[in-house]
Amino acid sequence: MRDILKIGDKEFSNRLLCGTGKFRDKNDIKKMLAQSGSQIITIALRRVNLDNPQDNILNYIPKNITLLPNTSGARNAEEAVRIANIAREFGCGNFVKIEIIHESKYLMPDNEETIKATKILAKDGFVVLPYINPDLVTCKKLEDAGASTVMPLGAPIGSNRGLETQSLIELIIENSNLPVIVDAGIGMPSHAAHAMEMGADGVLVNTAIATAEDPMMAGHAFSLAVQAGRMAHLAKLAKKSKYAQASSPLTGFLHQERQS
Amino acid sequence: MSFLAQLKAYEEFDFKDYFDHVTDTMIFESIEKKTLDWYDFLNLLSPRAKQHLEALARRAHEVTVQHFGYTISLYLPIYVSNYCSSHCLYCGFSKQNRIKRNKLSLEEVEIEAQEIAKTGIKHILFLTGESKKITPLSYLIDVAKILRRHFAQVAIEVAPMDEKEYHQLFEAGVDALTVYQEVYDKTIYQQVHISGEKTNYQYRLDAPERGAKAGFRNINIGPLFGLGEILPEAFFGGLHAKYLSDKYLECEVGLSLPRINEAEGGFQPLSLLDDTTFVQIMCAYRLFLPRADINISTRETAEFRDNLLKICATKFSAGSKTEVGGYTKAKTEPQFEISDARDTTHVIERIQSMGYEPVYKNWEGI
């Protein structure tokens, strides 16, 4: 079965999105991508150093990988729009992850400013992937604003705490017309699998992979978890039940009698 | 309400009595907590916590990796003037000291900037002695504009200013502010600051807050260890950082732990911060303020800095020169003696060999 994630005009067969931050060695990024098969990688434009080839992150990302520059560091819509435009001028393509944060304690995204930036950038031809606090109303507004996905957080960035916002993400998955990519907080492959089982269209994982002792193996593990979760979702596994559901019911004979 | 009000609340606080009642259980609970209050912070700073330094360091390392990964941000300082109008007992730049004074012309700033830019490091901190007459705001603005052309982030460490003046520097391209209180103990502050503008305790204390209001993205603070009593000074430094980060959510607040080094004037430290307590304070800062940058300058030795990186340092200067014009043609004596004299390349190679990623650029002013 062909199971493709479509974002903008691009199609992806792998639903694990990765990040470039926090690695011990930039050379590990390429190896991790090879191990995980991830096809999209987010980069903080503020870290892109074109003047210094030694430090230019773009040199470490294979050409077949879709770049997802993010607007990390932007504190409002205006700054995010400027960063997105700089990224496009640098040749990073037209995908952009809107990340607008103006509090540095918990790094919570500002949904209101994100909607504003999405409107402007989508109109300007960007494929916009907004990172948000999981709020259904915001997701609907982002649809209207021209977003290409929504990216609700599972838990605060870098916290590895998993799907603390599960019930809110479930509402979004149930009602969104856009692909839902769970971003931030995913710390273990089981969290990623869980998000995919719930029906998420993808997950973005950075800290848990980059800070693992073996980032390459971690990338592979997350990729397998995403695949397993996706397959479980597509297989439409039987739902949980409060009561026992025996495979050979004790009262089955009653139905047999009626049939005969 | 300024931080001064919080400080006043601790005027009668008996640190010794509190520390005497800290138990091992309290220390372990504080190490394990997700969010620490100021009692936890004190528990970690207590002399008893030194017995559990390894556990504290391990936890500090975990928290650092979680928030910063295996990275270390790099920056370089550029000294543009060493004129000073204050007399401070501990400072090599004190106006009383008969040292060679100089101030870089804008052309010289340009040349220094070009030289520093060759290192590839994109963050710069420019410093002056504290003389508003010799290095007025207009000069600082001109310097900022030159540096901004060569660097992605420009920080300042200059005499404290009014919010409006800070805002003008922000508009000129300055993103970050470093201002050390030097000593939080008001009595000692008055004893070591003899004359000049620096004698104004509260004006200095409120400077980081004025910087946050003016729009700077990063504020770096810290006590200068060697003046006040070590543990209370460490506590007030952490409390000050917490006050700022709670009140100015948009601002990233970082901490430094400068120790007095040998400087012109022959000042003998009033208190000594030993290496073990240094590590303890650094780890306590990390757990109290998990996202704060912890900046270790070349005042510390190469070996010590390398070890601190493995625990929880997140920011290094690398290949620093503390003379005016130090990167091209030194025009003065250094502000203080550097203990880590490795050049930038060697520091970077060492960072990489330890399994860390040196970050040349972490922000682009827009």
Short mmCIF file of all heavy atoms in Angstrom, two decimals, chain A residues 23 27-29 31-32 35-36 209 214-221:
data_model
loop_
_atom_site.label_atom_id
_atom_site.label_comp_id
_atom_site.label_asym_id
_atom_site.label_seq_id
_atom_site.Cartn_x
_atom_site.Cartn_y
_atom_site.Cartn_z
N PHE A 23 23.45 18.28 18.56
CA PHE A 23 24.32 17.13 18.26
C PHE A 23 25.74 17.41 18.74
O PHE A 23 26.19 18.55 18.76
CB PHE A 23 24.37 16.86 16.75
CG PHE A 23 23.17 16.14 16.23
CD1 PHE A 23 22.02 16.83 15.87
CD2 PHE A 23 23.18 14.77 16.10
CE1 PHE A 23 20.91 16.16 15.40
CE2 PHE A 23 22.07 14.09 15.62
CZ PHE A 23 20.93 14.78 15.27
N ASN A 27 28.66 15.90 11.81
CA ASN A 27 28.74 14.74 10.91
C ASN A 27 27.74 13.66 11.29
O ASN A 27 27.34 12.84 10.46
CB ASN A 27 30.15 14.16 10.93
CG ASN A 27 31.14 15.11 10.29
OD1 ASN A 27 30.98 15.47 9.13
ND2 ASN A 27 32.13 15.54 11.05
N ASP A 28 27.32 13.66 12.55
CA ASP A 28 26.33 12.66 13.00
C ASP A 28 24.96 12.91 12.36
O ASP A 28 24.14 12.00 12.27
CB ASP A 28 26.17 12.72 14.53
CG ASP A 28 27.36 12.09 15.24
OD1 ASP A 28 28.20 11.47 14.55
OD2 ASP A 28 27.45 12.24 16.47
N ILE A 29 24.71 14.15 11.94
CA ILE A 29 23.39 14.47 11.37
C ILE A 29 23.16 13.64 10.11
O ILE A 29 22.10 13.03 9.93
CB ILE A 29 23.29 15.99 11.08
CG1 ILE A 29 23.36 16.77 12.40
CG2 ILE A 29 22.01 16.31 10.31
CD1 ILE A 29 23.47 18.27 12.22
N LYS A 31 24.67 10.90 9.18
CA LYS A 31 24.57 9.46 9.49
C LYS A 31 23.20 9.13 10.08
O LYS A 31 22.61 8.11 9.79
CB LYS A 31 25.67 9.07 10.49
CG LYS A 31 27.08 9.18 9.94
CD LYS A 31 28.07 8.74 11.02
CE LYS A 31 29.41 9.44 10.85
NZ LYS A 31 30.22 9.43 12.06
N MET A 32 22.71 10.02 10.92
CA MET A 32 21.41 9.79 11.55
C MET A 32 20.31 9.79 10.49
O MET A 32 19.40 8.95 10.52
CB MET A 32 21.16 10.89 12.59
CG MET A 32 19.87 10.78 13.38
SD MET A 32 18.44 11.43 12.51
CE MET A 32 18.84 13.16 12.40
N GLN A 35 20.33 6.52 8.74
CA GLN A 35 19.79 5.43 9.58
C GLN A 35 18.28 5.52 9.75
O GLN A 35 17.59 4.51 9.80
CB GLN A 35 20.42 5.50 10.97
CG GLN A 35 21.88 5.09 11.01
CD GLN A 35 22.04 3.59 11.15
OE1 GLN A 35 21.41 2.98 12.00
NE2 GLN A 35 22.84 3.01 10.28
N SER A 36 17.78 6.74 9.88
CA SER A 36 16.35 6.90 10.18
C SER A 36 15.50 6.93 8.91
O SER A 36 14.32 6.64 8.95
CB SER A 36 16.12 8.19 10.97
OG SER A 36 16.41 9.31 10.15
N ILE A 209 16.81 12.44 19.96
CA ILE A 209 17.75 11.78 19.04
C ILE A 209 19.15 12.38 19.21
O ILE A 209 20.13 11.66 19.42
CB ILE A 209 17.28 11.93 17.57
CG1 ILE A 209 15.97 11.15 17.36
CG2 ILE A 209 18.36 11.48 16.60
CD1 ILE A 209 15.36 11.28 15.97
N ASP A 214 23.87 7.27 21.26
CA ASP A 214 24.08 6.89 19.86
C ASP A 214 22.94 7.50 19.04
O ASP A 214 21.88 6.87 18.86
CB ASP A 214 24.08 5.36 19.74
CG ASP A 214 24.40 4.90 18.33
OD1 ASP A 214 24.23 5.69 17.38
OD2 ASP A 214 24.81 3.73 18.17
N PRO A 215 23.13 8.70 18.52
CA PRO A 215 22.04 9.38 17.80
C PRO A 215 21.58 8.61 16.56
O PRO A 215 20.41 8.67 16.18
CB PRO A 215 22.65 10.72 17.40
CG PRO A 215 23.87 10.88 18.22
CD PRO A 215 24.34 9.52 18.58
N MET A 216 22.52 7.89 15.95
CA MET A 216 22.16 7.16 14.73
C MET A 216 21.18 6.04 15.06
O MET A 216 20.14 5.87 14.42
CB MET A 216 23.43 6.57 14.09
CG MET A 216 24.30 7.58 13.37
SD MET A 216 25.02 8.88 14.40
CE MET A 216 26.40 8.01 15.12
N MET A 217 21.50 5.30 16.12
CA MET A 217 20.60 4.20 16.50
C MET A 217 19.26 4.77 17.02
O MET A 217 18.19 4.22 16.75
CB MET A 217 21.25 3.32 17.57
CG MET A 217 20.49 2.02 17.74
SD MET A 217 21.15 0.98 19.04
CE MET A 217 22.63 0.38 18.31
N ALA A 218 19.35 5.89 17.71
CA ALA A 218 18.11 6.52 18.21
C ALA A 218 17.23 6.94 17.04
O ALA A 218 16.01 6.74 17.06
CB ALA A 218 18.46 7.72 19.09
N GLY A 219 17.85 7.50 16.00
CA GLY A 219 17.08 7.92 14.82
C GLY A 219 16.39 6.72 14.19
O GLY A 219 15.22 6.78 13.79
N HIS A 220 17.11 5.62 14.12
CA HIS A 220 16.55 4.40 13.54
C HIS A 220 15.37 3.91 14.40
O HIS A 220 14.31 3.56 13.88
CB HIS A 220 17.65 3.33 13.46
CG HIS A 220 17.27 2.13 12.66
ND1 HIS A 220 17.95 0.96 12.74
CD2 HIS A 220 16.26 1.91 11.78
CE1 HIS A 220 17.39 0.06 11.94
NE2 HIS A 220 16.35 0.63 11.34
N ALA A 221 15.58 3.92 15.71
CA ALA A 221 14.54 3.45 16.63
C ALA A 221 13.27 4.31 16.49
O ALA A 221 12.15 3.78 16.43
CB ALA A 221 15.05 3.49 18.07
#
